[in-house]
Amino acid sequence: MGEESLKKRKGENKGREDRQSIQNHEPETMNLRKQANLFLSPSLIHVGICMIVGTIIGSGIFVSPKSVLANVEAVGPCLTIWAACGVLATLGALCFAELGTMITKSGGEYPYLMEAFGPIPAFLFSWTSLLVTKPSSFAIICLSFAEYASAPFYPGCDPPQVVVKCLAAAAIVVITIVNSLSVKLGSYLQNFLTAAKMIIVAVIIVSGIVLLAKGKTENFKDSFKDSKISVSSISLAFYNGLWAYDGWNQLNYITEELKNPYRNLPLSIIIGIPLVTVCYVLINISYFTVMTSTELLQSQAVAVTFGDRVLYPASWIVPLFVVFSTLGSANGTCFTAGRLVYVAGREGHVLKVLSYISVKHLTPAPAIIFYGAIAIIYIIPGDIDTLINYFSFAVWIFYGLTVLALIVMRFTRKELRRPIRIPIIIPVIVTLVSILLVLAPIISAPELAYLYCILFILSGLIVYVLFVHLKFNWPQKISKPITMHLQMLLEVVPEEEVTQ
């Protein structure tokens, strides 16, 4: 009888464990953070330096050289700007490393601004990221893809803008669908595209070193001659150079994946970003071994021109692998968009439906589709240079505020544990440079894009007062039937309901 009751109890326990495992299985696989871990390549997680290099190197190095040179008009200042951008990115990443290990919450800059300055700056960051910086970044990368994909079909002339914009829109639609339907498919695609990206970078650098060894140095003589140096031109050159380094502020997300992160994270930054800087400077040197400043500025796709002059008859390799590289950047940008939306949805700063998760595919489908739609809107009127200036102006306002938050919390939140503590001079330098980068273009070369950006950011105050502070609930009432239809159409549910 005792044995029978024991067997019965074991059977009940086993059934309870089975039910618990079934219940626990869904929340874990539907959690956005877990999906992000799945998305990363194991090799990139294992080595922090590879993670940094793989995250930063993307479409920027194939687009920005022309724009950086256009602002300073000489080889010497151009290469100096690329090196200086690397130094600034390294200092900024060290600031974010301290913030990321001091406040271990997801959501990028949002929790840091919330802790230091309260909900209003945090909301404005969320508002700007959702509708300005993230979608415009996605649009820039896809326009870069379109220019390189169409360049071989229009030798000797610029591809029609209609073709470029249609190709960019098609890329956004395909990447959005892939990431909405399958985490694994997006992960496999990213691993392949990351490998392709590193191959083309190696090909260009090695080709440049060989050409230098053969004595191709005539374009480096009097490299500072006829340069155009002003506060405005340097700021705009920095905007374009720093676009290529974009991703340095995301490095604190690898903290949980590193062994002994408090030692290895700053080491990875100090080694990884300078390594990217060396790659970028060498790539630019490679371009100048076969192109004069004038020829580089006249080239529609700089890497394609380089391939035509150096790798012929195998020059088709360059545009093909650059296309892979830009697609990889776009794919990664699209996937990671879900994190910020989830945090904003949880805080009630956006419609709840944007933080829902697909039951069938376990992806943040509404958030990804939302980003894709906004990115297509940016593509219609915009070109790459205008969008980069628009993006950089907006993003450096909040980079500066976030690093200022680090300085403020040194005095207001002394009780917080700081596993990584950098010298105070570093955040001071980054904050001052951020102020310069934001103000200089407005004062020296004002454009409507900057005014639109400021007005859009400030319009977030109206949204905050009405719908967050005063808690007007009529938008939720209006959106309720829309949310119900979207839930049925996309088969999505709120994460909170699943985890209960």
mmCIF file with all atom_site columns, all heavy atoms in Angstrom, residues 50-70:
data_model
loop_
_atom_site.group_PDB
_atom_site.id
_atom_site.type_symbol
_atom_site.label_atom_id
_atom_site.label_alt_id
_atom_site.label_comp_id
_atom_site.label_asym_id
_atom_site.label_entity_id
_atom_site.label_seq_id
_atom_site.pdbx_PDB_ins_code
_atom_site.Cartn_x
_atom_site.Cartn_y
_atom_site.Cartn_z
_atom_site.occupancy
_atom_site.B_iso_or_equiv
_atom_site.pdbx_formal_charge
_atom_site.auth_seq_id
_atom_site.auth_comp_id
_atom_site.auth_asym_id
_atom_site.auth_atom_id
_atom_site.pdbx_PDB_model_num
ATOM 1   N N   . CYS A 1 50 ? 35.276 40.115 -31.162 1.00 0.00 ? 50 CYS A N   1
ATOM 2   C CA  . CYS A 1 50 ? 34.604 39.758 -32.418 1.00 0.00 ? 50 CYS A CA  1
ATOM 3   C C   . CYS A 1 50 ? 33.186 40.321 -32.444 1.00 0.00 ? 50 CYS A C   1
ATOM 4   O O   . CYS A 1 50 ? 32.697 40.750 -33.493 1.00 0.00 ? 50 CYS A O   1
ATOM 5   C CB  . CYS A 1 50 ? 34.566 38.242 -32.590 1.00 0.00 ? 50 CYS A CB  1
ATOM 6   S SG  . CYS A 1 50 ? 36.175 37.499 -32.858 1.00 0.00 ? 50 CYS A SG  1
ATOM 7   N N   . MET A 1 51 ? 32.532 40.322 -31.287 1.00 0.00 ? 51 MET A N   1
ATOM 8   C CA  . MET A 1 51 ? 31.186 40.897 -31.181 1.00 0.00 ? 51 MET A CA  1
ATOM 9   C C   . MET A 1 51 ? 31.209 42.371 -31.551 1.00 0.00 ? 51 MET A C   1
ATOM 10  O O   . MET A 1 51 ? 30.364 42.855 -32.310 1.00 0.00 ? 51 MET A O   1
ATOM 11  C CB  . MET A 1 51 ? 30.684 40.716 -29.740 1.00 0.00 ? 51 MET A CB  1
ATOM 12  C CG  . MET A 1 51 ? 29.395 41.436 -29.419 1.00 0.00 ? 51 MET A CG  1
ATOM 13  S SD  . MET A 1 51 ? 27.985 40.644 -30.160 1.00 0.00 ? 51 MET A SD  1
ATOM 14  C CE  . MET A 1 51 ? 26.683 41.701 -29.499 1.00 0.00 ? 51 MET A CE  1
ATOM 15  N N   . ILE A 1 52 ? 32.198 43.087 -31.024 1.00 0.00 ? 52 ILE A N   1
ATOM 16  C CA  . ILE A 1 52 ? 32.300 44.529 -31.280 1.00 0.00 ? 52 ILE A CA  1
ATOM 17  C C   . ILE A 1 52 ? 32.551 44.796 -32.762 1.00 0.00 ? 52 ILE A C   1
ATOM 18  O O   . ILE A 1 52 ? 31.871 45.607 -33.392 1.00 0.00 ? 52 ILE A O   1
ATOM 19  C CB  . ILE A 1 52 ? 33.428 45.127 -30.421 1.00 0.00 ? 52 ILE A CB  1
ATOM 20  C CG1 . ILE A 1 52 ? 32.982 45.175 -28.956 1.00 0.00 ? 52 ILE A CG1 1
ATOM 21  C CG2 . ILE A 1 52 ? 33.816 46.529 -30.907 1.00 0.00 ? 52 ILE A CG2 1
ATOM 22  C CD1 . ILE A 1 52 ? 34.085 45.505 -27.987 1.00 0.00 ? 52 ILE A CD1 1
ATOM 23  N N   . VAL A 1 53 ? 33.522 44.093 -33.339 1.00 0.00 ? 53 VAL A N   1
ATOM 24  C CA  . VAL A 1 53 ? 33.865 44.292 -34.749 1.00 0.00 ? 53 VAL A CA  1
ATOM 25  C C   . VAL A 1 53 ? 32.676 43.945 -35.638 1.00 0.00 ? 53 VAL A C   1
ATOM 26  O O   . VAL A 1 53 ? 32.331 44.684 -36.570 1.00 0.00 ? 53 VAL A O   1
ATOM 27  C CB  . VAL A 1 53 ? 35.103 43.441 -35.127 1.00 0.00 ? 53 VAL A CB  1
ATOM 28  C CG1 . VAL A 1 53 ? 35.374 43.523 -36.619 1.00 0.00 ? 53 VAL A CG1 1
ATOM 29  C CG2 . VAL A 1 53 ? 36.328 43.907 -34.340 1.00 0.00 ? 53 VAL A CG2 1
ATOM 30  N N   . GLY A 1 54 ? 32.018 42.819 -35.332 1.00 0.00 ? 54 GLY A N   1
ATOM 31  C CA  . GLY A 1 54 ? 30.872 42.384 -36.139 1.00 0.00 ? 54 GLY A CA  1
ATOM 32  C C   . GLY A 1 54 ? 29.691 43.325 -36.034 1.00 0.00 ? 54 GLY A C   1
ATOM 33  O O   . GLY A 1 54 ? 28.936 43.491 -36.991 1.00 0.00 ? 54 GLY A O   1
ATOM 34  N N   . THR A 1 55 ? 29.510 43.976 -34.872 1.00 0.00 ? 55 THR A N   1
ATOM 35  C CA  . THR A 1 55 ? 28.384 44.886 -34.672 1.00 0.00 ? 55 THR A CA  1
ATOM 36  C C   . THR A 1 55 ? 28.602 46.206 -35.393 1.00 0.00 ? 55 THR A C   1
ATOM 37  O O   . THR A 1 55 ? 27.688 46.738 -36.024 1.00 0.00 ? 55 THR A O   1
ATOM 38  C CB  . THR A 1 55 ? 28.174 45.168 -33.163 1.00 0.00 ? 55 THR A CB  1
ATOM 39  O OG1 . THR A 1 55 ? 27.936 43.936 -32.490 1.00 0.00 ? 55 THR A OG1 1
ATOM 40  C CG2 . THR A 1 55 ? 26.984 46.085 -32.937 1.00 0.00 ? 55 THR A CG2 1
ATOM 41  N N   . ILE A 1 56 ? 29.799 46.755 -35.311 1.00 0.00 ? 56 ILE A N   1
ATOM 42  C CA  . ILE A 1 56 ? 30.039 48.110 -35.825 1.00 0.00 ? 56 ILE A CA  1
ATOM 43  C C   . ILE A 1 56 ? 30.221 48.127 -37.341 1.00 0.00 ? 56 ILE A C   1
ATOM 44  O O   . ILE A 1 56 ? 29.624 48.954 -38.037 1.00 0.00 ? 56 ILE A O   1
ATOM 45  C CB  . ILE A 1 56 ? 31.273 48.734 -35.132 1.00 0.00 ? 56 ILE A CB  1
ATOM 46  C CG1 . ILE A 1 56 ? 30.984 48.938 -33.643 1.00 0.00 ? 56 ILE A CG1 1
ATOM 47  C CG2 . ILE A 1 56 ? 31.619 50.073 -35.780 1.00 0.00 ? 56 ILE A CG2 1
ATOM 48  C CD1 . ILE A 1 56 ? 32.151 49.505 -32.861 1.00 0.00 ? 56 ILE A CD1 1
ATOM 49  N N   . ILE A 1 57 ? 31.055 47.230 -37.875 1.00 0.00 ? 57 ILE A N   1
ATOM 50  C CA  . ILE A 1 57 ? 31.344 47.266 -39.317 1.00 0.00 ? 57 ILE A CA  1
ATOM 51  C C   . ILE A 1 57 ? 30.082 46.878 -40.082 1.00 0.00 ? 57 ILE A C   1
ATOM 52  O O   . ILE A 1 57 ? 29.530 45.797 -39.873 1.00 0.00 ? 57 ILE A O   1
ATOM 53  C CB  . ILE A 1 57 ? 32.506 46.325 -39.682 1.00 0.00 ? 57 ILE A CB  1
ATOM 54  C CG1 . ILE A 1 57 ? 33.802 46.822 -39.035 1.00 0.00 ? 57 ILE A CG1 1
ATOM 55  C CG2 . ILE A 1 57 ? 32.677 46.251 -41.194 1.00 0.00 ? 57 ILE A CG2 1
ATOM 56  C CD1 . ILE A 1 57 ? 35.005 45.949 -39.313 1.00 0.00 ? 57 ILE A CD1 1
ATOM 57  N N   . GLY A 1 58 ? 29.636 47.782 -40.926 1.00 0.00 ? 58 GLY A N   1
ATOM 58  C CA  . GLY A 1 58 ? 28.419 47.517 -41.697 1.00 0.00 ? 58 GLY A CA  1
ATOM 59  C C   . GLY A 1 58 ? 28.421 48.307 -42.983 1.00 0.00 ? 58 GLY A C   1
ATOM 60  O O   . GLY A 1 58 ? 29.421 48.358 -43.696 1.00 0.00 ? 58 GLY A O   1
ATOM 61  N N   . SER A 1 59 ? 27.302 48.976 -43.258 1.00 0.00 ? 59 SER A N   1
ATOM 62  C CA  . SER A 1 59 ? 27.173 49.701 -44.526 1.00 0.00 ? 59 SER A CA  1
ATOM 63  C C   . SER A 1 59 ? 27.945 51.024 -44.518 1.00 0.00 ? 59 SER A C   1
ATOM 64  O O   . SER A 1 59 ? 28.303 51.538 -45.576 1.00 0.00 ? 59 SER A O   1
ATOM 65  C CB  . SER A 1 59 ? 25.693 49.991 -44.793 1.00 0.00 ? 59 SER A CB  1
ATOM 66  O OG  . SER A 1 59 ? 25.176 50.864 -43.812 1.00 0.00 ? 59 SER A OG  1
ATOM 67  N N   . GLY A 1 60 ? 28.193 51.587 -43.319 1.00 0.00 ? 60 GLY A N   1
ATOM 68  C CA  . GLY A 1 60 ? 28.749 52.938 -43.230 1.00 0.00 ? 60 GLY A CA  1
ATOM 69  C C   . GLY A 1 60 ? 30.066 53.122 -43.941 1.00 0.00 ? 60 GLY A C   1
ATOM 70  O O   . GLY A 1 60 ? 30.285 54.147 -44.601 1.00 0.00 ? 60 GLY A O   1
ATOM 71  N N   . ILE A 1 61 ? 30.955 52.149 -43.829 1.00 0.00 ? 61 ILE A N   1
ATOM 72  C CA  . ILE A 1 61 ? 32.293 52.295 -44.407 1.00 0.00 ? 61 ILE A CA  1
ATOM 73  C C   . ILE A 1 61 ? 32.248 52.308 -45.936 1.00 0.00 ? 61 ILE A C   1
ATOM 74  O O   . ILE A 1 61 ? 33.189 52.761 -46.595 1.00 0.00 ? 61 ILE A O   1
ATOM 75  C CB  . ILE A 1 61 ? 33.248 51.184 -43.896 1.00 0.00 ? 61 ILE A CB  1
ATOM 76  C CG1 . ILE A 1 61 ? 34.696 51.471 -44.327 1.00 0.00 ? 61 ILE A CG1 1
ATOM 77  C CG2 . ILE A 1 61 ? 32.797 49.808 -44.350 1.00 0.00 ? 61 ILE A CG2 1
ATOM 78  C CD1 . ILE A 1 61 ? 35.231 52.809 -43.892 1.00 0.00 ? 61 ILE A CD1 1
ATOM 79  N N   . PHE A 1 62 ? 31.148 51.844 -46.529 1.00 0.00 ? 62 PHE A N   1
ATOM 80  C CA  . PHE A 1 62 ? 31.021 51.854 -47.986 1.00 0.00 ? 62 PHE A CA  1
ATOM 81  C C   . PHE A 1 62 ? 30.263 53.082 -48.492 1.00 0.00 ? 62 PHE A C   1
ATOM 82  O O   . PHE A 1 62 ? 30.217 53.332 -49.686 1.00 0.00 ? 62 PHE A O   1
ATOM 83  C CB  . PHE A 1 62 ? 30.311 50.584 -48.456 1.00 0.00 ? 62 PHE A CB  1
ATOM 84  C CG  . PHE A 1 62 ? 30.968 49.323 -47.962 1.00 0.00 ? 62 PHE A CG  1
ATOM 85  C CD1 . PHE A 1 62 ? 30.329 48.498 -47.048 1.00 0.00 ? 62 PHE A CD1 1
ATOM 86  C CD2 . PHE A 1 62 ? 32.239 48.979 -48.376 1.00 0.00 ? 62 PHE A CD2 1
ATOM 87  C CE1 . PHE A 1 62 ? 30.932 47.338 -46.576 1.00 0.00 ? 62 PHE A CE1 1
ATOM 88  C CE2 . PHE A 1 62 ? 32.859 47.827 -47.905 1.00 0.00 ? 62 PHE A CE2 1
ATOM 89  C CZ  . PHE A 1 62 ? 32.205 47.008 -47.007 1.00 0.00 ? 62 PHE A CZ  1
ATOM 90  N N   . VAL A 1 63 ? 29.670 53.846 -47.569 1.00 0.00 ? 63 VAL A N   1
ATOM 91  C CA  . VAL A 1 63 ? 28.877 55.020 -47.942 1.00 0.00 ? 63 VAL A CA  1
ATOM 92  C C   . VAL A 1 63 ? 29.545 56.310 -47.472 1.00 0.00 ? 63 VAL A C   1
ATOM 93  O O   . VAL A 1 63 ? 29.631 57.293 -48.209 1.00 0.00 ? 63 VAL A O   1
ATOM 94  C CB  . VAL A 1 63 ? 27.453 54.918 -47.337 1.00 0.00 ? 63 VAL A CB  1
ATOM 95  C CG1 . VAL A 1 63 ? 26.650 56.175 -47.639 1.00 0.00 ? 63 VAL A CG1 1
ATOM 96  C CG2 . VAL A 1 63 ? 26.745 53.685 -47.858 1.00 0.00 ? 63 VAL A CG2 1
ATOM 97  N N   . SER A 1 64 ? 30.038 56.309 -46.224 1.00 0.00 ? 64 SER A N   1
ATOM 98  C CA  . SER A 1 64 ? 30.527 57.539 -45.590 1.00 0.00 ? 64 SER A CA  1
ATOM 99  C C   . SER A 1 64 ? 31.815 58.118 -46.167 1.00 0.00 ? 64 SER A C   1
ATOM 100 O O   . SER A 1 64 ? 32.018 59.335 -46.062 1.00 0.00 ? 64 SER A O   1
ATOM 101 C CB  . SER A 1 64 ? 30.703 57.305 -44.086 1.00 0.00 ? 64 SER A CB  1
ATOM 102 O OG  . SER A 1 64 ? 29.451 57.075 -43.484 1.00 0.00 ? 64 SER A OG  1
ATOM 103 N N   . PRO A 1 65 ? 32.771 57.328 -46.723 1.00 0.00 ? 65 PRO A N   1
ATOM 104 C CA  . PRO A 1 65 ? 34.023 57.942 -47.214 1.00 0.00 ? 65 PRO A CA  1
ATOM 105 C C   . PRO A 1 65 ? 33.801 59.116 -48.153 1.00 0.00 ? 65 PRO A C   1
ATOM 106 O O   . PRO A 1 65 ? 34.473 60.146 -48.066 1.00 0.00 ? 65 PRO A O   1
ATOM 107 C CB  . PRO A 1 65 ? 34.724 56.786 -47.929 1.00 0.00 ? 65 PRO A CB  1
ATOM 108 C CG  . PRO A 1 65 ? 34.264 55.580 -47.192 1.00 0.00 ? 65 PRO A CG  1
ATOM 109 C CD  . PRO A 1 65 ? 32.834 55.857 -46.844 1.00 0.00 ? 65 PRO A CD  1
ATOM 110 N N   . LYS A 1 66 ? 32.837 58.983 -49.044 1.00 0.00 ? 66 LYS A N   1
ATOM 111 C CA  . LYS A 1 66 ? 32.540 60.055 -49.990 1.00 0.00 ? 66 LYS A CA  1
ATOM 112 C C   . LYS A 1 66 ? 32.020 61.301 -49.266 1.00 0.00 ? 66 LYS A C   1
ATOM 113 O O   . LYS A 1 66 ? 32.431 62.427 -49.568 1.00 0.00 ? 66 LYS A O   1
ATOM 114 C CB  . LYS A 1 66 ? 31.511 59.541 -50.994 1.00 0.00 ? 66 LYS A CB  1
ATOM 115 C CG  . LYS A 1 66 ? 31.144 60.510 -52.095 1.00 0.00 ? 66 LYS A CG  1
ATOM 116 C CD  . LYS A 1 66 ? 30.188 59.831 -53.052 1.00 0.00 ? 66 LYS A CD  1
ATOM 117 C CE  . LYS A 1 66 ? 29.620 60.825 -54.058 1.00 0.00 ? 66 LYS A CE  1
ATOM 118 N NZ  . LYS A 1 66 ? 28.662 60.181 -54.978 1.00 0.00 ? 66 LYS A NZ  1
ATOM 119 N N   . SER A 1 67 ? 31.147 61.121 -48.297 1.00 0.00 ? 67 SER A N   1
ATOM 120 C CA  . SER A 1 67 ? 30.544 62.252 -47.578 1.00 0.00 ? 67 SER A CA  1
ATOM 121 C C   . SER A 1 67 ? 31.556 62.929 -46.655 1.00 0.00 ? 67 SER A C   1
ATOM 122 O O   . SER A 1 67 ? 31.559 64.156 -46.527 1.00 0.00 ? 67 SER A O   1
ATOM 123 C CB  . SER A 1 67 ? 29.338 61.772 -46.768 1.00 0.00 ? 67 SER A CB  1
ATOM 124 O OG  . SER A 1 67 ? 28.385 61.162 -47.609 1.00 0.00 ? 67 SER A OG  1
ATOM 125 N N   . VAL A 1 68 ? 32.412 62.143 -45.999 1.00 0.00 ? 68 VAL A N   1
ATOM 126 C CA  . VAL A 1 68 ? 33.448 62.724 -45.139 1.00 0.00 ? 68 VAL A CA  1
ATOM 127 C C   . VAL A 1 68 ? 34.392 63.574 -45.984 1.00 0.00 ? 68 VAL A C   1
ATOM 128 O O   . VAL A 1 68 ? 34.717 64.717 -45.629 1.00 0.00 ? 68 VAL A O   1
ATOM 129 C CB  . VAL A 1 68 ? 34.239 61.623 -44.392 1.00 0.00 ? 68 VAL A CB  1
ATOM 130 C CG1 . VAL A 1 68 ? 35.424 62.217 -43.648 1.00 0.00 ? 68 VAL A CG1 1
ATOM 131 C CG2 . VAL A 1 68 ? 33.326 60.872 -43.415 1.00 0.00 ? 68 VAL A CG2 1
ATOM 132 N N   . LEU A 1 69 ? 34.834 63.037 -47.125 1.00 0.00 ? 69 LEU A N   1
ATOM 133 C CA  . LEU A 1 69 ? 35.748 63.766 -48.005 1.00 0.00 ? 69 LEU A CA  1
ATOM 134 C C   . LEU A 1 69 ? 35.082 65.018 -48.561 1.00 0.00 ? 69 LEU A C   1
ATOM 135 O O   . LEU A 1 69 ? 35.727 66.071 -48.688 1.00 0.00 ? 69 LEU A O   1
ATOM 136 C CB  . LEU A 1 69 ? 36.215 62.861 -49.147 1.00 0.00 ? 69 LEU A CB  1
ATOM 137 C CG  . LEU A 1 69 ? 37.197 63.480 -50.145 1.00 0.00 ? 69 LEU A CG  1
ATOM 138 C CD1 . LEU A 1 69 ? 38.503 63.863 -49.454 1.00 0.00 ? 69 LEU A CD1 1
ATOM 139 C CD2 . LEU A 1 69 ? 37.479 62.506 -51.294 1.00 0.00 ? 69 LEU A CD2 1
ATOM 140 N N   . ALA A 1 70 ? 33.789 64.956 -48.881 1.00 0.00 ? 70 ALA A N   1
ATOM 141 C CA  . ALA A 1 70 ? 33.079 66.107 -49.447 1.00 0.00 ? 70 ALA A CA  1
ATOM 142 C C   . ALA A 1 70 ? 33.065 67.277 -48.483 1.00 0.00 ? 70 ALA A C   1
ATOM 143 O O   . ALA A 1 70 ? 33.053 68.447 -48.909 1.00 0.00 ? 70 ALA A O   1
ATOM 144 C CB  . ALA A 1 70 ? 31.642 65.704 -49.805 1.00 0.00 ? 70 ALA A CB  1
#
